Amino acid sequence: MIYVDADACPVKDEALRVAVRHDLEIAFVSNAWMRLPEGPNVHRVIVAEGADAADDWIAERIGRGDIAITADIPLASRCLKAGAQAIGPTGKPFTDASIGMALAMRDLKQHLRETGESRGFNASFTPKDRSRFLEALELAVQRAKRGQA
């Protein structure tokens, strides 16, 4: 199963393309109705309003062999703890080895924004990011099929 943290996710169509190619179920989880890809294996999940409602829904259901697509580092950490794989929309996989540093950098950047020392601009999403994402998701699916999740 592929779980997509769909709010502000720029790779929904790409995730669906990989899911269809491998005949996998895919759940798009969001806080509000949005236009989403359709298909027989597509599940649209709208959760209650709230900062972490979509994250909580995914974290409560994800498990070994599943894949999460999220830019949310705390959610990625929860998914890894559940035995799942987690991939950011730019194609960067979150791993047990990298999640601690990712959480620390997130906290540092938040502190710098709160103190006014950083304006917190995010890099633009590029076609190269989209390509890296497709490659990373394909590799994650192959690992899951081999039971190496």
Side-chain angles (χ1 to χ4, degrees):
M1 177 81 157
I2 297 174
Y3 293 90
V4 180
D5 185 3
D7 293 315
C9 178
V11 290
K12 292 186 272 295
D13 290 333
E14 291 79 4
L16 178 61
R17 199 172 346 145
V18 173
V20 167
R21 182 171 42 243
H22 292 280
D23 195 31
L24 298 173
E25 300 286 318
I26 186 166
F28 292 97
V29 185
S30 63
N31 291 96
W33 188 92
M34 63 177 60
R35 182 177 303 279
L36 292 170
E38 301 279 334
N41 295 353
V42 176
H43 306 280
R44 177 190 311 255
V45 180
I46 301 171
V47 297
E49 294 280 332
D52 294 325
D55 299 352
D56 291 342
W57 192 93
I58 293 170
E60 290 166 5
R61 288 161 180 80
I62 200 162
R64 185 166 259 331
D66 294 334
I67 301 166
I69 298 167
T70 184
D72 186 285
I73 297 168
L75 173 58
S77 178
R78 293 169 71 184
C79 293
L80 291 173
K81 286 178 185 170
Q85 298 180 76
I87 302 169
T90 61
K92 181 176 176 155
F94 295 99
T95 65
D96 290 330
S98 69
I99 198 69
M101 181 61 77
L103 285 165
M105 287 302 297
R106 175 189 172 273
D107 291 344
L108 174 62
K109 288 177 182 178
Q110 181 177 346
H111 172 73
L112 292 174
R113 282 191 305 274
E114 288 170 355
T115 60
E117 294 181 46
S118 170
R119 296 181 193 257
F121 296 113
N122 290 328
S124 297
F125 189 78
T126 68
K128 195 169 191 169
D129 293 328
R130 196 174 303 280
S131 177
R132 270 193 308 266
F133 170 78
L134 280 167
E135 182 179 339
L137 183 55
E138 183 65 34
L139 288 171
V141 168
Q142 294 300 327
R143 275 193 305 275
K145 285 184 169 188
R146 291 190 307 262
Q148 298 174 336

